[in-house]
Amino acid sequence: MTLPLRPDSAARSRSGDPDAELAHRAGRRLIAAAVLLTLLAFSADMARLAFGRWLDATPMPALAVPTGTEVLARDGSLLRAFQVGSGLWRLAPPAAGVDPRFQKMLIAWEDRNFDTHRGVDPRAVARAAAQAIWHGRIVSGASTLSMQTARLLERGPTADWRAKLRQARLAMAMERRIGKEGVLSLYLRLAPYGGNTEGVRAATLMWFGKEPTRLTPAEAALLVALPQAPEARRPDIPARREAARIARDRVIARAEQAGIINAEAAELARGTPLPTARRAFPAHAALLAERLRRQHPGAARIETTIDPTLQRAAERMVARAVAGRSERVSAAAILADHQSGEILAEVGTADFGATPRAGFIDMTRAIRSPGSTLKPFVYALGFDEGLIHPDTLIEDRPAIFGRWQPENFDRMFRGTVTIREALRQSLNVPVVRVADALGPARIMALLRRAGMRVETANHAPPGLAVVLGGAGVSLRDLVTGYAALARGGRTVVLTETPADAEGQDQTGMRLVSPAAAWQVAAILSRIPPPDGRAAGRIAYKTGTSYGHRDALSLGFDGRFVAGIWLGRPDGTPVPGAFGGQVAAPLLFDIFDTLGARRRPLPPPPPETLIASNPQLPAPLRRFTPPGHISAAANGPGAPARALIEPLVIVFPPDGAELELGGQSVPVRLRGGVPPYTWMLNGTPAVVALSEPVATLPGSPGASEVTVTDASGATRRARFRMVAP
């Protein structure tokens, strides 16, 4: 059987089938449309790439906006800020960020589509164009926050259309490069707020005296309104205050409408008075901040160890100390933690910037006479050498040293006194006697090891007058030295920045023995405090330089050390200014600010020799200069000043390393006057020995042996015992 063939589509088309013709044409149209869409998409991609390359080629001003150096306290708060260039206040936003409500109000007022556009807002442009056509004039602008930031960056005009186009291109280019957060950060640094102030942080400090981390609605609204017309709306100028209020209240209304604040908060904000004056920028620890800025040029932020509460309290107290005095009188103070070496408060002048008080001179670093404040170091060295004990008797009578005849401050003499009383009463002749026995060179070496730079006139060799203030020392160096006494005789390096503190090994070097340091502190703690305050809380010493040019007080407790200076920076006298009357009260005031942080003075170390005068070894009962025989030691009729061979420790030599062959170590001396007293590590080991040889107990490790003869001459040797 033959079947009929089915005609194909072509045959149907040729046969004139209308449905087939329509389908064929529709298919061709779909193919053409797909090709066209592909070409359009390709063209759009190419256009976007070309547009992106055009934006990337945008001439870009420097995006690293310079801001003033900030010196910060240990908690991150601002101590002092510095201006940029020729007197412009511009600061980086705080590390803690800007109040989020302020940013919401700013965006709601200036650029409600900020989060969605790419630098230029097409809807705002269309709206502004339509309004301009309808009204025949410009009714509203179309500038976004990004465009405003671009204008601020290039310092361009606001009305020129060519500048607007350039700012639009720059705004889009910036958003591609640094994103929304980067643009907003630039705006917060550059927005003008009147006068020489730019940026929201400088503005909040100037208008409100606070950081912008937390703002009231009224404060935030004013900060949003001011950059639009910073000079025309300055609230510190009476004629422009109403314009500032009107602009602020419009921002408040917009914020209420946007739901950023409620009606009650808006009403309260509208009733808030405007600031009426520009505030001074913070200037705490001002001279310290200036010094750190010079040491770290170009640094944006410099962290310090300063405690802001203690710093402000110290500044108030220093200012109060000079109130009512001559306008040329100034004062300085330092408070430090002698365990860590961190400086917690530093006041270099009583009135920063004041011309009469030389308010630009840092008196914590100035070289001045220390008065009697070096005496404790002389006695500490004497204790350490076994030359004296706090209950050793010494003569406070007229004496001549070469051509110099020192006198006490009141030109009176007390006769025979103990070393304890000589230091408590700050007598001059006894300390010179001890200094003469020790030698000025050894005393100077001790002071320098303590971290004190002691300067003599014309760099002459030091003489005995150094111990009575006949040299120059800075207040900071004195505090460093007293910190060593406070730490049991170990030195410490004072620091103002955490970076320096971290780099210091504060174990320190041994200056004097713990027993010697404690003996000095125990005496200083019994000096009657000023104004009837409680005794024994701090160990302190005062000093008054020749002619009442400098009044000082230094002191410490179990954790803190402080120093006070008062005088005239030009070095002229301040009649009637005594360290005990003007500096000591301020010292105690500063310690009072520590409150619960104060620490008691430590107990005596185990090796401390605590004994009354009759219980002391014979050579320590009465001070006799080395090289002379004590009549008390040799009995009645003995010559009081017969020359003898100098005392010398023959064995062990100083600095030796000895092999420990048993449980003892032999010692030998030459010269001196028997009987001899040997001390091992500050503890009496052999007393009243007539022979120049002895055997002392030995143990592995470092040791120190001291011998004192009947004349009071003392020698020491340090050595180390090692196992065989």
Side-chain angles (χ1 to χ4, degrees):
M1 178 181 351
T2 302
L3 296 176
L5 297 174
R6 294 184 59 187
D8 59 14
S9 61
R12 288 201 307 271
S13 176
R14 285 194 299 271
S15 67
D17 187 339
D19 293 337
E21 181 69 21
L22 289 174
H24 181 68
R25 290 178 180 177
R28 284 186 297 180
R29 288 192 195 100
L30 286 174
I31 293 172
V35 171
L36 179 61
L37 289 174
T38 301
L39 290 174
L40 288 174
F42 178 76
S43 299
D45 287 341
M46 294 300 293
R48 279 195 297 270
L49 289 173
F51 187 69
R53 286 194 294 269
W54 180 70
L55 288 181
D56 291 339
T58 303
M60 190 80 66
L63 298 181
V65 177
T67 55
T69 297
E70 302 168 29
V71 180
L72 308 177
R74 66 191 302 122
D75 64 351
S77 61
L78 185 64
L79 290 175
R80 185 182 178 187
F82 293 87
Q83 294 168 301
V84 178
S86 56
L88 179 65
W89 288 109
R90 185 199 292 144
L91 303 174
V98 175
D99 190 330
R101 182 166 51 192
F102 162 75
Q103 296 192 43
K104 291 178 181 178
M105 293 173 73
L106 173 66
I107 292 171
W109 179 257
E110 292 284 3
D111 188 359
R112 67 183 67 182
N113 297 318
F114 176 72
D115 293 332
T116 57
H117 65 65
R118 297 185 178 181
V120 175
D121 186 355
R123 285 173 289 183
V125 172
R127 184 197 68 242
Q131 290 175 340
I133 293 171
W134 180 262
H135 293 281
R137 58 184 176 84
I138 296 175
V139 175
S140 64
S143 290
T144 62
L145 271 175
S146 303
M147 292 175 64
Q148 293 180 46
T149 303
R151 177 178 60 80
L152 293 171
L153 266 176
E154 62 177 16
R155 305 288 174 177
T158 58
D160 183 66
W161 66 270
R162 285 180 294 268
K164 287 285 187 184
L165 291 177
R166 187 173 63 253
Q167 291 159 14
R169 180 184 181 185
L170 179 56
M172 291 185 288
M174 282 195 307
E175 290 215 0
R176 282 172 64 89
R177 180 173 297 186
I178 61 176
K180 297 288 185 183
E181 289 187 4
V183 170
L184 187 58
S185 177
L186 282 175
Y187 180 85
L188 295 178
R189 295 169 190 245
L190 291 168
Y193 283 94
N196 61 339
T197 305
E198 287 185 359
V200 66
R201 187 168 183 217
T204 57
L205 290 168
M206 179 184 70
W207 293 120
F208 312 126
K210 62 190 287 188
E211 293 282 359
T213 50
R214 296 188 65 180
L215 300 170
T216 67
E219 293 168 344
L222 180 62
L223 293 174
V224 170
L226 281 177
Q228 294 179 333
E231 290 301 323
R233 297 173 178 175
R234 282 182 54 171
D236 60 321
I237 299 177
R240 304 173 188 176
R241 194 171 299 143
E242 181 63 15
R245 186 193 63 77
I246 292 172
R248 182 200 67 176
D249 290 354
R250 288 207 308 265
V251 175
I252 292 171
R254 177 72 62 83
E256 181 183 4
Q257 181 183 358
I260 299 171
I261 57 176
N262 58 30
E264 182 181 358
E267 186 64 27
L268 181 63
R270 280 188 284 266
T272 302
L274 294 169
T276 58
R278 292 160 57 103
R279 297 169 183 258
F281 282 80
H284 300 296
L287 295 174
L288 167 62
E290 176 65 40
R291 186 170 67 251
L292 291 176
R293 185 175 72 110
R294 290 195 302 268
Q295 294 173 359
H296 302 84
R301 285 187 169 98
I302 302 174
E303 297 179 348
T304 72
T305 60
I306 296 296
D307 182 303
T309 302
L310 295 176
Q311 178 67 32
R312 290 191 292 268
E315 289 173 358
R316 290 193 301 269
M317 293 173 186
V318 166
R320 189 169 64 233
V322 301
R325 297 185 177 275
S326 164
E327 64 178 7
R328 295 168 61 191
V329 173
S330 189
I334 296 178
L335 173 66
D337 182 330
H338 58 67
Q339 296 300 309
S340 66
E342 293 180 339
I343 293 179
L344 305 177
E346 182 173 315
V347 185
T349 178
D351 192 356
F352 172 64
T355 300
R357 299 192 196 278
F360 291 103
I361 298 178
D362 188 348
M363 296 308 297
T364 67
R365 300 299 182 104
I367 302 298
R368 305 299 292 239
S369 167
S372 297
T373 58
L374 296 182
K375 290 177 180 177
F377 298 94
V378 177
Y379 288 119
L381 183 58
F383 295 151
D384 211 29
E385 293 289 337
L387 183 65
I388 54 174
H389 180 274
D391 282 284
T392 298
L393 298 177
I394 193 168
E395 297 302 316
D396 179 35
R397 303 180 189 278
I400 298 177
F401 300 85
R403 297 182 178 180
W404 181 44
Q405 185 172 358
E407 295 180 331
N408 289 321
F409 197 79
D410 58 6
R411 298 188 178 182
M412 298 177 62
F413 297 94
R414 273 73 172 175
T416 303
V417 296
T418 62
I419 294 292
R420 188 188 314 277
E421 283 303 308
L423 178 54
R424 283 184 66 244
Q425 297 185 46
S426 195
L427 303 178
N428 288 343
V429 176
V431 75
V432 175
R433 292 184 187 275
V434 176
D436 186 43
L438 294 168
R442 296 182 66 194
I443 294 171
M444 286 290 284
L446 177 83
L447 298 177
R448 287 168 179 155
R449 288 202 309 275
M452 290 185 274
R453 185 184 60 180
V454 183
E455 296 187 2
T456 57
N458 300 318
H459 303 286
L464 293 174
V466 167
V467 303
L468 300 186
V473 189
S474 71
L475 179 65
R476 179 192 170 95
D477 284 357
L478 284 171
V479 174
T480 301
Y482 272 74
L485 293 177
R487 298 182 81 228
R490 283 199 175 274
T491 59
V492 61
V493 179
L494 299 187
T495 57
E496 305 100 338
T497 63
D500 290 340
E502 291 173 2
Q504 294 290 342
D505 178 8
Q506 296 293 26
T507 55
M509 62 177 291
R510 174 61 62 194
L511 183 68
V512 294
S513 67
W518 183 87
Q519 294 281 26
V520 168
I523 296 171
L524 297 181
S525 69
R526 305 313 300 175
I527 295 176
D531 306 328
R533 309 196 194 199
R537 268 197 314 128
I538 65 173
Y540 83 106
K541 181 73 180 73
T542 62
T544 306
S545 67
Y546 177 78
H548 300 271
R549 289 172 169 81
D550 307 275
L552 299 114
S553 186
L554 284 298
F556 54 88
D557 67 3
R559 184 65 184 267
F560 302 99
V561 60
I564 305 295
W565 170 88
L566 186 144
R568 289 180 175 173
D570 61 6
T572 54
V574 182
F578 295 90
Q581 294 178 354
V582 299
L586 179 54
L587 178 76
F588 276 76
D589 287 342
I590 285 181
F591 271 95
D592 285 342
T593 65
L594 292 167
R597 286 188 279 182
R598 293 182 309 209
R599 294 291 182 271
L601 292 164
E607 67 271 21
T608 307
L609 177 60
I610 300 177
S612 63
N613 184 271
Q615 298 171 320
L616 293 174
L620 289 178
R621 293 174 192 165
R622 180 177 293 274
F623 173 76
T624 304
H628 297 82
I629 296 175
S630 168
N634 289 337
R641 291 183 177 270
L643 295 177
I644 59 173
E645 182 182 358
L647 181 66
V648 176
I649 294 178
V650 178
F651 187 87
D654 190 38
E657 187 172 278
L658 308 178
E659 185 175 294
L660 184 63
Q663 298 301 314
S664 62
V665 57
V667 292
R668 177 182 294 274
L669 59 82
R670 182 181 66 246
V673 180
Y676 308 104
T677 296
W678 291 91
M679 301 181 75
L680 181 63
N681 298 325
T683 302
V686 181
V687 179
L689 183 68
S690 60
E691 300 298 324
V693 295
T695 300
L696 307 182
S699 60
S703 295
E704 180 180 88
V705 64
T706 305
V707 62
T708 303
D709 71 359
S711 71
T714 300
R715 296 293 181 266
R716 76 165 72 182
R718 295 180 176 90
F719 60 93
R720 177 177 293 277
M721 301 292 294
V722 297

